[in-house]
Amino acid sequence: WEQGIGKIASVRGGQDSTKHLATSVSSSSESSSSGDGLGDKVASLLGAGGVVMILAKSIKRILPIALEPFGAASPAPLSTFQLGAYVSMCLWFAYVEGYKGFQLKFSPLVVARAQTLKPFNGSPIHHILLAPFYSMGLFHATKKRKIISWSVSIGVGVIVAAVKKLPYPWRNIVDAGVIVGLSWGSLSIIVEWVKAAVLGIQTKMDPALPGSA
């Protein structure tokens, strides 16, 4: 009788140990998954946030030029026509660059690509280190995407160089529009990232990875 009780206790003890082991494995798996999820969010923030930082540096650099006509050291106040051009330029850039260029196209692309960065699940280290440029589609993208991204980047550089040669106040007027467009774009990237990474509302934009087209 005592031997029977001992065997039952032994079996029950083994079952309890098995349950404890299964619970430990499950907890370890959940912890690992949680860690991977946090790493993915940090990587996506590095990508999308890095692009926002690039835009913010451009805004900071040209903001004093855009505001020069309204400062005490202004070479000359704006005429009524020039003031109208100033406002019109801001509205035009808000719609063409901010809304159509950034909000509808570029910002969702940046966030979609940033969301594919998986530091603990296959993403090469250089994708993480160069996350902002990866998110912009400058490398590891479809041929079409790389052509568009590089063309836009080079085109913007050429336009910036040309605008610098404009006389006062036309350079200031164009720079004001650029600031509006870049500010709209920065905000739209932030909103897209929060929706995707925090709220779980994924963008429908194709990340344009190699082999996806």
Side-chain angles (χ1 to χ4, degrees):
W1 181 78
E2 292 179 352
Q3 291 178 348
I5 292 296
K7 289 180 179 179
I8 293 174
S10 177
V11 170
R12 292 186 62 183
Q15 292 175 340
D16 291 342
S17 297
T18 301
K19 290 180 180 179
H20 178 71
L21 177 60
T23 301
S24 298
V25 171
S26 176
S27 298
S28 176
S29 176
E30 290 176 0
S31 177
S32 176
S33 176
S34 177
D36 289 353
L38 178 60
D40 293 348
K41 286 185 179 181
V42 171
S44 70
L45 178 60
L46 181 62
V51 176
V52 172
M53 290 301 297
I54 292 173
L55 298 178
K57 287 182 179 180
S58 298
I59 293 171
K60 181 180 179 181
R61 186 177 66 252
I62 63 178
L63 182 60
I65 300 173
L67 297 179
E68 183 183 10
F70 307 102
S74 172
L78 297 179
S79 66
T80 302
F81 175 76
Q82 291 168 341
L83 184 59
Y86 193 102
V87 174
S88 299
M89 188 68 69
C90 289
L91 293 175
W92 188 82
F93 268 89
Y95 177 71
V96 175
E97 183 184 24
Y99 177 68
K100 294 191 69 176
F102 275 99
Q103 186 173 331
L104 298 184
K105 298 177 181 179
F106 187 70
S107 298
L109 172 74
V110 166
V111 174
R113 288 182 60 83
Q115 289 291 97
T116 66
L117 291 169
K118 310 291 181 183
F120 303 112
N121 194 25
S123 291
I125 185 64
H126 67 283
H127 288 188
I128 307 301
L129 295 177
L130 301 174
F133 307 105
Y134 169 89
S135 299
M136 292 168 65
L138 295 175
F139 69 95
H140 193 70
T142 60
K143 182 178 180 181
K144 179 180 178 180
R145 182 67 257 171
K146 285 189 288 187
I147 291 174
I148 293 175
S149 294
W150 278 103
S151 297
V152 170
S153 298
I154 294 172
V156 167
V158 172
I159 293 173
V160 168
V163 169
K164 286 182 178 180
K165 297 182 179 181
L166 291 177
Y168 176 89
W170 301 108
R171 177 187 177 185
N172 311 74
I173 291 172
V174 173
D175 281 344
V178 170
I179 286 178
V180 172
L182 294 182
S183 298
W184 189 310
S186 299
L187 182 60
S188 67
I189 292 175
I190 293 172
V191 171
E192 284 287 338
W193 186 85
V194 170
K195 286 168 58 179
V198 179
L199 302 180
I201 305 173
Q202 299 300 324
T203 177
K204 297 180 180 180
M205 177 66 70
D206 178 10
L209 297 175
S212 64

